[in-house]
Amino acid sequence: SLLLHTANTERLRIDSQGHVGINNSNPATALDVTGTITADALTVEASSNALIRISDSTNANQRLDLQHNGGVASLIAGNNGAYGTIKLQAYNGTDTVDRFKISANGDVDLGYEDTGTTPKLTWKASDESLGINTDSPASTLEIAKNDQTNGATLSITNSFDGAGWTAGDTIGTINFRVDDSSPTEKIRGQIKVFDDTSSSTTYPAYSAMSFSTALSNTLNERFRIASDGSLSTPTAGTSN
């Protein structure tokens, strides 16, 4: 081994295996440093599975791996043989707060408020559900808001901004679908808002709403509220 000392203290060692230790008398890898490294840049190259690993010195399985292989970059957290948690945090000069978190069980939290304590959007992996303003969604999608006066609002926006609105143009649609391979008509129910009268207007001036259900493999309109407020069904006709 080759050793370099300053002030009667070993600073660098190259052992018989070619391992280099800086402030480390027993280097376990090609370069093993005890202490802090300062560099302008760090490049890691490998023919496959290029890896940067940050680990607990007392437990190698508590680690964070940044790995690249075949054009795919992976961030991997491990916690002593179990899945780890990944966080993206922000520091404002005083406090470090959460901004994004992937928990060990696959839950995802993001969109934290200013203090970083309450996520505004939560994905619950076990339930396959998404919550907005709630971390315990009771359905596939739940939107919550603590507002007695206005309540929670769900908006479907047609972002087209231009002229030429004509009868039959659609503002928005909600489809109730199945993923079953048997029917050719996958939409089993539909609510649609559309223009029923306009002719080249600058906006959908005559907005109507229709409700449809499917019979066998045909989607049929069952009920309509016209832009003038009249109600109609295919069999009962129109009433005011």
Side-chain angles (χ1 to χ4, degrees):
S1 297
L2 173 65
L3 284 66
L4 296 179
H5 291 73
T6 62
N8 294 322
T9 301
E10 180 182 323
R11 304 300 187 186
L12 185 144
R13 173 186 294 252
I14 304 176
D15 66 14
S16 58
Q17 295 179 302
H19 294 166
V20 177
I22 300 176
N23 290 330
N24 190 323
S25 61
N26 187 29
T29 56
L31 177 62
D32 198 338
V33 179
T34 300
T36 301
I37 297 175
T38 302
D40 292 332
L42 174 64
T43 300
V44 178
E45 293 182 349
S47 57
S48 63
N49 293 319
L51 173 67
I52 296 175
R53 172 167 292 175
I54 303 171
S55 62
D56 189 326
S57 61
T58 60
N59 192 330
N61 285 322
Q62 292 181 335
R63 66 179 190 264
L64 175 68
D65 291 350
L66 176 59
Q67 184 172 330
H68 182 272
N69 184 37
V72 178
S74 302
L75 189 64
I76 306 166
N79 183 23
N80 197 24
Y83 295 117
T85 295
I86 295 175
K87 285 185 176 184
L88 180 63
Q89 296 182 311
Y91 181 65
N92 63 5
T94 304
D95 300 312
T96 300
V97 296
D98 291 346
R99 288 292 178 249
F100 175 80
K101 182 173 74 172
I102 303 176
S103 300
N105 62 1
D107 289 355
V108 179
D109 294 324
L110 56 89
Y112 285 81
E113 35 64 77
D114 291 347
T115 62
T117 56
T118 305
K120 296 302 180 181
L121 192 150
T122 297
W123 168 256
K124 303 294 288 186
S126 59
D127 301 326
E128 296 185 351
S129 58
L130 182 66
I132 299 175
N133 278 336
T134 175
D135 59 3
S136 55
S139 58
T140 304
L141 172 63
E142 181 178 355
I143 302 173
K145 186 179 182 183
N146 185 10
D147 187 339
Q148 181 180 0
T149 303
N150 300 303
T153 301
L154 173 65
S155 297
I156 299 176
T157 301
N158 187 325
S159 59
F160 174 76
D161 183 9
W165 285 90
T166 303
D169 288 345
T170 300
I171 299 168
T173 305
I174 299 176
N175 288 328
F176 301 86
R177 301 181 72 259
V178 295
D179 200 25
D180 194 297
S181 60
S182 301
T184 56
E185 177 54 76
K186 306 297 184 183
I187 300 173
R188 310 311 296 171
Q190 183 183 86
I191 302 173
K192 180 187 290 187
V193 177
F194 58 97
D195 192 297
D196 66 355
T197 306
S198 291
S199 177
S200 297
T201 58
T202 57
Y203 66 98
Y206 301 89
S207 300
M209 179 180 289
S210 66
F211 299 81
S212 302
T213 61
L215 177 63
S216 296
N217 285 305
T218 303
L219 185 67
N220 300 287
E221 182 180 321
R222 305 301 187 185
F223 182 74
R224 175 181 294 203
I225 305 173
S227 58
D228 62 6
S230 60
L231 309 178
S232 64
T233 65
T235 56
T238 302
S239 63
N240 293 322

